[in-house]
Structure formats: C-alpha cells, structure tokens
Amino acid sequence: MHRDITRRDFLNGVSLGVVGSLLAPELIGAFEQEFAPERAPDYYPPTRTGMRGSHDGSFEVAHQFRDRRPWDVSAAINTGESYDLVVVGGGLSGLAAAHYFIKEVGRGAKVLVLDNHDDFGGHAKRNEFHHNGRMLALNGGTLNIESPLRYNLPARQLLQDVGIDLDRFVSANAKNRELYRSHGLTGSALFFDKETWGLDKLVVRSRAPGGGRGGPSTGSGQGGRGGGYNSDFLAQTPLSPKAREDMLRLNGPLPDFMPGLSSAEKKVRLAKMSYADFVLNIVKADKQVLWFYQNTGAGNFCVGIDALPALFGWQMGLPGFNGMNLEPTPNGVLADLPGGQHGRQNGSGGGGAIHFPDGNATIARLLVRWLLPDAVPGQTMEDVGAAHVNYALLDRAGQSARIRLNSTVVNVRHDGTPSSAKETVVSYVRGGKTYQVRGRASVMACWNMFIPSIVPDIPAKQKEALAYGVKGPLVYTSVAVRDWTAFQKMGVSSVNSPTMYHTGVSLAEAVSLGDLQHPQSPDEPIVLHMTRYPCAPGKPRKEQHRIGRADLLSTSFDTFERKIRDQLARSLSEGGFDPARDIMAIAVNRWPHGYAYTYNSLYDPLEWVFTSTDTRPCVVGRQPFGSITIANSDAAASPHTDAAFLEAHRAVQEVLQRRAMPMLTDRT
Ligand SMILES: Cc1cc2nc3c(=O)[nH]c(=O)nc-3n(C[C@H](O)[C@H](O)[C@H](O)COP(=O)(O)OP(=O)(O)OC[C@H]3O[C@@H](n4cnc5c(N)ncnc54)[C@H](O)[C@@H]3O)c2cc1C
C-alpha cells in the first residue's frame, strides 16, 4: 500500500514525433511570443496525470473575483485583433457557438474562442494513457450522449455536421457489449466498508445491470434501482434482521401511503419531501436501508437522497411507490431525470446512452476538427479516436476560427452604449498579462455565476438571476491499471461502495473507436472509472455544493491517491488487486463547478421544476445584453450536452438577428 507508484514507464510509447510542430513566428501575433506553452513540442494535456479537470493554473485569476478583488484591465495590452465573434469558454457550448456561427456566416468569418483551461472541451475532456505502444482513453468529464433520440434539432444537426453516426458506432461495438460477460464478469458487487458497518464485506450480485456492458456508473450508485435485492442476497449483508425485512418490504408490493388524495395532490406532497424522508417516515423503513440508495440521483444533482425529492425518486424508478397509483408524467416534464419507468429513460423513448471511449470529448475533438481541420488530423468519426491533436495549430492568424487556451476572460464590455455599440471589448489574462481583443459580438459560453463579474454593466436583475444557481461539484477519477484479472476473478465489472471516498469503481465501458481499441483480454491494461460526490448530507442543497467545492479545492492529489489506493486494495482484495503493483497512473478530474444547477422542488418553486416558465432564473439570466449573448448549459438549467448546444444555437441566432446578417467582416 505504501510503496511509491512508478509511473514513468507509463508514458513509454508516446510518439513525441507527432506532437505539435513549431509554428513560424509570423503566423502568431508578436504579443503572444512570451507565453505560448501550446507550441511546446510536448504540450499534450490529455496525457497529463495527477490533478486534472479544474487543474492548478486554470482558476486562480477567476478566484480573484470570488475574493472581491476585481481585475484591473485599464492597462490591458491591445493585441490589435478584431473578430466577428469572440466566444468566452471553450466547452461544448462555446465550440458549438463557433460552429453555428461559422456555419451560418461562412468560412470567411473570424471567431476567437477563449478558455481558461490548458485543453479545450470544458467538462468534455479526455484522459489518455500510453503503455507499451498502446493508447487507452477515458472521459475525464462528460460521459455520455444521453437519450440521443431526445436531442433537440440543433444538437442533432451538429452531431451530423461533425461526422457522428451513432448507429454506425453502436453496430461497430456489438461484440464489445458482450465482452465482459464473455469473460465471466456477469455481475456487480456492493462493498460494505468497515467504517460504516464495522467490517469490510463484499457481496456480489449475480445479475449485471446494464446487460453486461459494465460501463461506468453514472452515479446511480448501487447498480439497479428497484428490485433485485432478494433474501439470499440480503442474508450475506451486514444489515440487521429488521433492515433486511424492511429492504424486502420496500422492494415488494406496498400500500397506497396517501389514500384519499388524487395523483396530482400526492405528487405535490412527494415533491416537497426528500426520498430519504419518504423511506424513513412514510414507508417507515429502517435507517440502514438508506445506504443502498444513498447516492441515487447524485449522478444528476451531486447530492444524495436527503436532497432528492421523493417525486424525482419515483420518476427515476426508486422503490416504494407501487401502491400509490401515480399517473405517468407527461412527456417532457422532468425530462432531465435519468432512468425509471415513468419518464425519460435511456432505454425507452430516448434511445440508449452512447458512450465513446473518451465520452463526449469525442464530440469536442470532432468539433475542433470541423473548426480547424489541420489541428485534428483525419476524416472520419472513427479516426478521431486515436487522432493526435496538434495544439500548436489551434491559434493561428489567417484561419476562420482560433482557440486560445490558458486564457481567462476578466472583462467584456461594449465600446459605447449596449444598444448601439458596434463592438465589444474583451479582456483576458494569459501568462499573467492582460490582453484585449475586439469582437463585433460576444457569446458568453462560460459559467452563469461568473458573468456578473466579468460583464459588470449587465442589469442588476439579470445579474441576480445569473448568480442564482450553484454548480454541483464532482470528481471523475481515471486509474490506469496493468490488467483486469482482479475483476475477472471476482466475476464483476463494477463494485459500488456508497460510503467510501469514491462511490465505486468500474471497468471502462467496453467500446472502441477506430484504432482506439478497448482491451479484449483481462491480461491487458485498462482504465478504471471512479466517481466522488463531495457533499454535506442534511444541509440545504446549495450549501452542500459550496461545502463540496471547498473540499475539492483544498484536497491535495496525495490525499486522493491514498484514498484511491486504500479503496481499490480493500474493495478488490478478493480479486488479488495490489495497488502498488497494479496501478500505473491516476488522473483525478476534479470539477468544483460541475453540473449546471437544475431546479429541485425541495428548494425551488414548483413551477420552475414542472414548467418552462419565463420566470426561471435561467431564462431571466440568458437575455441578450446588447451585442453580448449568453450560451452554456447553465442557461438551460440542465446538465446535458444537448442543452449546451441548444443554448449556443440560441445565443448565436440572437447575435445574427442583432447584427442583421450578412455580417461578414469588411476588414482584411
Ligand atoms: C463530470 C461530469 C460528467 C458529465 N457527464 C455528462 C453526461 O454524461 N452527459 C451529458 O449530457 N452531460 C454531462 N455533463 C454535463 C456537461 O457539463 C455538459 O454536457 C456540457 O459539456 C456543458 O458544456 P458547457 O460548454 O455549457 O460548459 P463547460 O463544459 O463547463 O464549458 C465552459 C467552459 O468555459 C470556461 N470558462 C468559464 N469562465 C471562463 C472565463 N472567464 N474565461 C475563459 N473561459 C471560461 C470553463 O472553464 C469551461 O472550460 C457532465 C459534467 C461533468 C462535470
């Protein structure tokens, strides 16, 4: 456990020869010469390990605003650059805004995308590992294209435009879907930890949730929401006899707990109590039962069932409601909730969730290829899997789009009065210096809560609305290991441990994309996926998010590493896992500002949750302000990729309407 991890060997096999070529200095503005890490031959953020996600160096400038120390832009260096559009934020929404704009205006348009991270994609980033000439990749953030059949039109069109063919991808991976099962990994396991239960105990469930795909848990936590907990299974657990009985009762036929009320009246009551309260006070089950469901909903809200409305629990298929005669939810209402037999489902109506090996980083990479074909070599969806991005080519003069990384925007204003100004002025900090560019319009594809600080002229009411939500913090950890024989010996592809530091560990979902091939034999290296939701159960949801965020920013990588090694050693011990021998590399993707804040009936007005009313803060906040418009998934109060695209599309349309197309630059 306490031996050092030797990871140096892991980078063997990375071909440095193909890494970013140096650019001719005349292609880059002179102002950039001093600080241009992207042009270093070994600049390749996807292969970086240690603390990733919101990595050191990406947030310090922004936190100066948090600490109420505004950035002085009066002495900003004028780069002399002038764009048709400046996009703040290089996540999926920002990249999509650049795409929609250029698609509409033409390749002659000039667009600059600015992002504070060392890599593009926002949450949709990838961790890439190399071992003995083999490339492995896993999503460092955004996991899935969820419910693709429910994707809005602009999102569907974008996927098509960048070359994504989901049917082709799914059929190419038909064999992979049976991979784990074919090696005897037919189930998942629950790990009862000694800190909670007085002893460490692994209990294997025989049925593989998800049909043996063995993919990363999206946070439902316990692998299987409703049934499946029979008396044989429960007899192996450290639960008290009363808790076992209650677990069986909860998962069996139940009475109507609210007789005499209509379905609508029951729903209102369920909307205003937590699922934890429902199980304890309505079903009157033993407290130990909560352990099984504790993290359900965290995959969408980053909080446990103490902050999950019971109604959402019903919608997601949690047990306890089968006697209550609740009417199905109308289509589209609560559509962001995953799973369950009552609403949006991955398997029914929405199409199955689609996971590329690196999650939605594949979309980000294809979007960047669409914007800058030279930077992401290749022609097809398949060849982007193993494509080596040339970061030196992201920000060059003379191309339609430029993506400038390591650049935190600190001020966006109109050059004149918002209603008539011809230009916006955008200041950003890069390498410790402040620069200024101009744009005929700006799209804010960054985080809502940051906009009032960097667009100080925005009306007060709009600022208040933008600041309303608090993004949910979470961690996706990728652990590259020498092989997966431990999982094979245990016959499982995932182990859930609701009360440990990470809520579980699973083998990367078995999918390949072109030359990025998923390991086929348990003797081959693989990447493990682990999830952590730092929160403070029992407190109001926003407070939980703030506490969780502070926890993430103050926890060192060393602490994470110790926790990861401890958890894997204990929960995989029956398979003979040895962290010192088996772990080759770790990337902790911490997202202190993770999921967009979604409305929750325990804390927000019911009409914000159940209707698309214009009084929702996300609508009030996203109104155009002169030539500055607002994209990003916060603007939809939805933590989903299709929402990020829809908001980008709207924000670009607002720019185009104001600017009375065509607005092609008349500059050279
Ligand atoms: C761990 C995780 C897993 C997820 N899984 C899924 C999933 O499976 N499916 C799904 O649909 N969605 C998922 N999401 C939600 C995801 O956030 C959205 O799908 C989508 O990627 C959001 O895109 P965005 O561009 O709006 O925001 P972001 O991805 O957050 O991008 C915004 C970018 O703007 C940058 N920025 C902010 N302020 C500034 C500034 N002042 N200057 C410069 N840059 C700035 C940010 O740093 C960031 O890079 C997940 C999110 C997380 C964190």
Side-chain angles (χ1 to χ4, degrees):
M1 257 305 293
H2 297 287
R3 260 183 287 150
D4 280 347
I5 302 173
T6 307
R7 299 204 191 87
R8 239 166 307 162
D9 61 328
F10 206 72
L11 287 175
N12 290 347
V14 182
S15 167
L16 291 182
V18 292
V19 182
S21 60
L22 288 177
L23 284 180
E26 64 272 17
L27 290 178
I28 306 146
F31 70 94
E32 286 181 78
Q33 292 296 313
E34 295 167 40
F35 180 82
E38 303 86 355
R39 297 208 302 279
D42 61 348
Y43 187 89
Y44 208 69
T47 55
R48 291 183 181 167
T49 53
M51 200 61 97
R52 298 298 297 152
S54 282
H55 56 81
D56 288 349
S58 66
F59 53 80
E60 291 76 357
V61 170
H63 284 182
Q64 185 161 322
F65 286 94
R66 177 199 62 185
D67 301 337
R68 304 197 187 287
R69 291 182 289 134
W71 201 273
D72 180 12
V73 295
S74 59
I77 302 162
N78 184 356
T79 70
E81 292 165 280
S82 196
Y83 293 91
D84 293 307
L85 185 70
V86 177
V87 180
V88 181
L92 287 177
S93 198
L95 296 173
H99 161 87
Y100 290 129
F101 186 82
I102 292 171
K103 190 175 171 198
E104 196 91 31
V105 175
R107 290 279 179 184
K110 288 190 165 62
V111 179
L112 174 69
V113 178
L114 293 158
D115 194 278
N116 56 321
H117 287 99
D118 58 14
D119 201 355
F120 56 79
H123 294 149
K125 292 215 172 67
R126 95 185 202 158
N127 299 137
E128 192 177 304
F129 304 95
H130 293 257
H131 184 57
N132 290 340
R134 171 166 207 151
M135 177 193 287
L136 299 168
L138 190 64
N139 54 295
T142 312
L143 175 76
N144 281 333
I145 298 179
E146 283 174 58
S147 310
L149 296 181
R150 288 176 189 258
Y151 262 37
N152 56 68
L153 217 58
R156 283 196 207 194
Q157 187 61 53
L158 182 145
L159 295 186
Q160 193 181 317
D161 288 348
V162 300
I164 289 177
D165 183 335
L166 296 180
D167 291 339
R168 199 168 79 216
F169 175 74
V170 169
S171 59
N173 279 284
K175 199 163 154 246
N176 269 331
R177 273 194 292 284
E178 292 308 314
L179 178 73
Y180 292 149
R181 196 184 289 280
S182 73
H183 285 290
L185 283 64
T186 54
S188 65
L190 282 176
F191 185 72
F192 297 81
D193 58 297
K194 63 174 181 261
E195 293 82 354
T196 309
W197 296 97
L199 80 170
D200 278 351
K201 178 104 203 264
L202 183 96
V203 184
V204 174
R205 299 180 71 197
S206 56
R207 188 172 51 84
R213 296 177 79 190
S217 153
T218 50
S220 59
Q222 285 69 40
R225 293 192 162 92
Y229 295 113
N230 57 32
S231 46
D232 288 347
F233 171 84
L234 292 169
Q236 301 172 63
T237 68
L239 262 67
S240 69
K242 160 86 168 64
R244 285 181 205 171
E245 236 174 67
D246 283 356
M247 191 66 186
L248 288 174
R249 187 164 60 86
L250 179 67
N251 283 283
L254 286 166
D256 184 349
F257 295 109
M258 298 174 190
L261 296 189
S262 69
S263 168
E265 288 164 336
K266 290 175 193 170
K267 284 187 178 181
V268 171
R269 281 189 63 187
L270 293 171
K272 286 292 175 193
M273 75 174 77
S274 73
Y275 184 68
D277 284 342
F278 175 78
V279 172
L280 291 180
N281 304 325
I282 305 289
V283 181
K284 298 197 186 307
D286 190 282
K287 209 175 166 187
Q288 286 186 345
V289 162
L290 297 183
W291 185 85
F292 291 83
Y293 304 100
Q294 189 148 313
N295 299 311
T296 312
N300 263 45
F301 306 109
C302 302
V303 282
I305 50 172
D306 58 295
L308 181 79
L311 187 71
F312 289 13
W314 165 73
Q315 178 87 9
M316 294 162 73
L318 287 177
F321 305 96
N322 56 20
M324 295 195 62
N325 303 314
L326 297 170
E327 285 167 12
T329 308
N331 214 8
V333 178
L334 298 182
D336 275 341
L337 295 178
Q341 62 268 45
H342 305 295
R344 174 183 178 134
Q345 301 184 24
N346 284 338
S348 135
I354 306 288
H355 172 75
F356 292 114
D358 60 1
N360 289 5
T362 284
I363 308 180
R365 287 156 67 86
L366 284 167
L367 260 169
V368 172
R369 177 187 277 171
W370 190 92
L371 294 167
L372 297 159
D374 294 349
V376 188
Q379 307 290 330
T380 66
M381 168 180 78
E382 284 77 12
D383 65 27
V384 88
H388 195 96
V389 176
N390 190 339
Y391 285 83
L393 302 184
L394 295 181
D395 187 9
R396 281 187 303 172
Q399 53 194 15
S400 185
R402 301 178 72 161
I403 300 171
R404 192 161 297 163
L405 300 170
N406 301 298
S407 303
T408 305
V409 173
V410 289
N411 189 270
V412 183
R413 64 173 173 83
H414 291 96
D415 186 12
T417 50
S419 55
S420 58
K422 296 227 168 347
E423 282 188 315
T424 59
V425 182
V426 179
S427 304
Y428 64 92
V429 177
R430 179 173 157 84
K433 292 195 172 168
T434 310
Y435 299 97
Q436 206 163 75
V437 295
R438 286 175 171 264
R440 291 189 167 189
S442 292
V443 168
M444 308 301 294
C446 54
W447 302 326
N448 265 8
M449 84 286 174
F450 201 25
I451 297 174
S453 303
I454 52 179
V455 193
D457 298 338
I458 261 183
K461 198 160 178 276
Q462 191 169 355
K463 278 188 186 171
E464 196 187 325
L466 286 163
Y468 180 82
V470 177
K471 287 171 93 70
L474 72 164
V475 180
Y476 275 9
T477 295
S478 302
V479 184
V481 293
R482 276 175 208 281
D483 58 50
W484 36 293
T485 52
F487 286 84
Q488 191 187 30
K489 281 181 198 141
M490 293 160 64
V492 301
S493 56
S494 64
V495 178
N496 291 299
S497 38
T499 30
M500 290 196 83
Y501 198 68
H502 286 81
T503 58
V505 54
S506 54
L507 296 173
E509 185 168 329
V511 279
S512 302
L513 186 63
D515 289 343
L516 184 55
Q517 285 290 311
H518 191 81
Q520 297 294 307
S521 157
D523 299 326
E524 295 178 75
I526 200 167
V527 187
L528 308 180
H529 172 79
M530 303 178 81
T531 307
R532 170 168 168 74
Y533 303 102
C535 54
K539 296 204 182 295
R541 180 178 165 203
K542 286 187 188 176
E543 203 180 328
Q544 294 204 40
H545 289 342
R546 291 192 186 100
I547 291 170
R549 182 194 306 160
D551 171 276
L552 281 190
L553 288 169
S554 61
T555 304
S556 68
F557 177 72
D558 284 354
T559 300
F560 265 99
E561 182 168 3
R562 286 288 151 212
K563 298 279 189 190
I564 291 161
R565 297 176 78 182
D566 172 62
Q567 181 161 347
L568 293 181
R570 287 163 59 191
S571 62
L572 302 178
S573 68
E574 287 188 17
F577 188 86
D578 175 356
R581 182 195 62 209
D582 295 332
I583 295 177
M584 298 196 293
I586 299 173
V588 172
N589 303 281
R590 74 172 162 200
W591 300 108
H593 304 279
Y595 293 152
Y597 184 84
T598 46
Y599 302 124
N600 175 318
S601 52
L602 293 179
Y603 310 101
D604 303 305
L606 288 181
E607 65 268 24
W608 294 0
V609 179
F610 298 106
T611 70
S612 307
T613 168
D614 287 351
T615 60
R616 289 174 301 153
C618 63
V619 181
V620 177
R622 73 186 179 211
Q623 297 310 306
F625 172 56
S627 300
I628 300 169
T629 66
I630 293 167
N632 95 78
S633 62
D634 289 343
S638 165
H640 291 291
T641 293
D642 51 335
F645 290 154
L646 187 66
E647 298 308 319
H649 187 261
R650 176 196 43 74
V652 165
Q653 292 306 314
E654 287 167 354
V655 164
L656 297 176
Q657 278 156 21
R658 177 177 157 93
R659 284 297 179 195
M661 283 291 300
M663 59 171 294
L664 258 181
T665 178
D666 49 18
R667 299 176 299 275
T668 51

